[in-house]
Amino acid sequence: MTDGLTQVVISPDEGSLFPPVSYEVLPYGFLLNKFITNPDGKTHDLVIGPHDIAEQYRRFLNPIIGRYSNRIPAGEHHIEKNDVRALVSAIANEGGKVSLHGGPEGFDRHAFTQLPSLSDSQLFTKEEITSITEKAGIGQEAAIFANTSAHGDQGFPGELYVEALFLTIPASKEWEPVTYRRSLGSLIINYRAILRAPDGSSTIISPVNLTQHWGFNLDASYAKAGESTPDVKDHNLYIQSSRILEGDSNLLPTGKLLDIRGGPFDFTGLDTTIGAKYPDPGYDHFWLFDEPHEPTHFAKSKLGSTDLITPLFAALPPKVRLSSKRSGFDFHVTTNQRGVQFYSGIGLDGSGTRKPIHGGSADGVGYTQATAAFLEFHAPHSAFLHKFGDPAQAKPGDDTILTSDELYNHWVRLDIWHTPNVGEEEP
């Protein structure tokens, strides 16, 4: 694992009722390189990526994003919380005015280290490790990856220690006798982080807003060698939201929310396809969820034997759904984050390469626009500079400013369903 490109394969064991889903994670950038399943006898890789894994790092294809997701204004920002002040010096890496995805050398370029054992975790309690190893069910698998971001990294104050839990839950016995729709299991990604002052004793603050920049295409594996990868415009998308963030000419948030009901950004209908009202040039916007959200910051002194993991083992109503009638895959996603950035791959211009399973070759054409649905779950852009939503429903962590007295807790649960023989006949 010294080069950060050593693959770590994580999948439920043979205790799973149905064919398992296997994941390949690269420690460099905590990157989800493969998402493999074959419930219909055909192998599918449900995330896009290049022919050569070393090429992943030319673009944001499936890595963790940090220290701060999405766009914040480049330059100096004076922040304050609990009478503690700090300076954020955001480094421009898009157009001179924007610091994108944590800056020029964000977490996608950090080599994470897989902990030898779950019990080596500093940020998950013993009760939580017990829950993971004993209560998640037969066939579950888990790994924790860690990284330390130095004080001043990309202009952010404080030393930030991060652990990322990658947890699979095997398929349930649920299936529908008429459609034969069945569960293929679930994936939970849980980020934890704590902030430390350079002197190790004083209180310090810093904005933290992590996410996984994964790009899904549920039909990509139907492409034969040399063929174009199918786009995602026929995928159905549901987002439990009636508002998006307003952006300026640099896509930086203005602090305002726009009502989107009835327009091309309204995905509250279960049968709405991505391409139904596709805008020019595509989607690259943040949807703020309508339902009340959960806190993301917890006082470290009050955690003790707290178990924040066990509640995630129960299926929850989805805040986002992505499905394809052609392949039969149906993703249900829920999270404690306030919203989701949906990016339809506007910047995919055919450069680079594609995975062979998606029709690519080492010297071929890369992915093009709308060949992936990137669903990035995180807090609103620049949330430490603006207040979004109803103040009466505010929760700890909404401002994304983490103190050295707090624990950052971010989770996403993805439930994978499949209905066989729902699409066209595939040769």
Side-chain angles (χ1 to χ4, degrees):
M1 234 179 266
T2 55
D3 61 358
L5 298 181
T6 302
Q7 299 96 327
V8 179
V9 178
I10 305 172
S11 63
D13 65 21
E14 296 303 318
S16 298
L17 181 64
F18 297 115
V21 179
S22 293
Y23 309 91
E24 184 179 271
V25 179
L26 305 183
Y28 189 92
F30 184 62
L31 188 149
L32 179 58
N33 191 46
K34 294 181 181 180
F35 190 135
I36 302 292
T37 188
N38 61 345
D40 55 1
K42 173 180 174 58
T43 300
H44 299 264
D45 189 342
L46 303 179
V47 293
I48 68 169
H51 188 275
D52 182 351
I53 59 174
E55 190 191 335
Q56 289 277 20
Y57 308 107
R58 290 174 30 174
R59 298 187 295 252
F60 297 113
L61 295 182
N62 311 319
I64 189 174
I65 298 297
R67 289 189 189 190
Y68 211 92
S69 299
N70 233 296
R71 294 170 173 85
I72 61 177
E76 294 188 347
H77 305 286
H78 295 270
I79 60 174
E80 181 177 353
K81 185 174 184 178
N82 300 340
D83 296 323
V84 179
R85 296 176 178 82
L87 174 65
V88 177
S89 301
I91 303 173
N93 61 334
E94 184 183 72
K97 296 183 178 180
V98 177
S99 181
L100 176 67
H101 292 327
E105 299 292 328
F107 279 10
D108 61 299
R109 296 183 179 274
H110 285 216
F112 281 63
T113 300
Q114 184 182 0
L115 299 184
S117 168
L118 299 183
S119 60
D120 293 318
S121 168
Q122 299 179 35
L123 304 185
F124 291 87
T125 66
K126 291 181 180 179
E127 287 74 14
E128 289 175 324
I129 299 303
T130 298
S131 294
I132 293 169
T133 55
E134 297 181 3
K135 300 178 184 178
I138 298 174
Q140 66 83 25
E141 291 291 340
I144 295 176
F145 297 79
N147 174 60
T148 298
S149 172
H151 172 62
D153 184 14
Q154 305 305 293
F156 291 94
E159 177 186 272
L160 189 71
Y161 174 71
V162 178
E163 290 185 356
L165 168 69
F166 197 98
L167 170 65
T168 71
I169 298 178
S172 70
K173 296 181 180 180
E174 295 181 63
W175 64 286
E176 297 173 358
V178 176
T179 64
Y180 295 97
R181 178 175 178 266
R182 63 191 188 187
S183 165
L184 298 181
S186 304
L187 166 64
I188 293 173
I189 294 180
N190 190 175
Y191 307 130
R192 299 278 176 91
I194 56 172
L195 191 66
R196 301 171 178 138
D199 61 12
S201 60
S202 60
T203 302
I204 195 168
I205 61 174
S206 185
V208 179
N209 190 13
L210 308 181
T211 195
Q212 201 75 25
H213 201 286
W214 41 16
F216 301 108
N217 186 323
L218 308 185
D219 296 340
S221 299
Y222 286 124
K224 297 182 176 65
E227 291 183 348
S228 298
T229 302
D231 64 39
V232 297
K233 290 183 178 180
D234 287 335
H235 285 29
N236 290 87
L237 180 64
Y238 165 79
I239 302 177
Q240 186 266 315
S241 172
S242 59
R243 297 169 297 173
I244 62 171
L245 267 61
E246 180 185 64
D248 65 15
S249 59
N250 293 304
L251 300 183
L252 290 166
T254 64
K256 297 180 180 178
L257 294 169
L258 302 178
D259 190 312
I260 56 171
R261 286 173 287 190
F265 298 92
D266 186 349
F267 286 102
T268 54
L270 293 179
D271 293 323
T272 304
T273 62
I274 291 173
K277 298 179 180 180
Y278 200 79
D280 183 23
Y283 292 102
D284 190 8
H285 302 78
F286 184 87
W287 280 254
L288 188 73
F289 295 136
D290 289 336
E291 292 182 355
H293 56 287
E294 299 180 20
T296 57
H297 292 183
F298 295 85
K300 289 192 293 185
S301 61
K302 296 182 179 180
L303 283 177
S305 59
T306 300
D307 181 358
L308 300 174
I309 289 290
T310 297
L312 307 187
F313 295 153
L316 300 167
K319 293 188 175 181
V320 171
R321 285 184 63 178
L322 180 71
S323 63
S324 165
K325 293 181 179 179
R326 181 181 186 186
S327 64
F329 290 109
D330 185 3
F331 286 179
H332 293 202
V333 191
T334 190
T335 179
N336 68 340
Q337 296 303 291
R338 298 190 65 192
V340 62
Q341 180 83 11
F342 168 41
Y343 172 56
S344 61
I346 296 171
L348 298 175
D349 58 4
S351 60
T353 59
R354 292 174 290 152
K355 293 178 177 179
I357 196 172
H358 297 165
S361 63
D363 57 354
V365 176
Y367 297 93
T368 53
Q369 289 187 8
T371 52
F374 292 86
L375 297 170
E376 309 154 37
F377 298 89
H378 55 74
H381 311 199
S382 306
F384 63 97
L385 300 176
H386 304 283
K387 292 183 178 180
F388 298 100
D390 183 357
Q393 296 184 359
K395 300 290 193 304
D398 284 2
D399 60 6
T400 67
I401 299 177
L402 184 69
T403 77
S404 48
D405 298 323
E406 295 176 314
L407 172 77
Y408 172 84
N409 182 58
H410 167 146
W411 61 265
V412 173
R413 172 174 168 146
L414 189 157
D415 298 324
I416 308 153
W417 293 84
H418 183 260
T419 304
N421 302 319
V422 298
E424 62 190 76
E425 289 292 325
E426 298 296 340

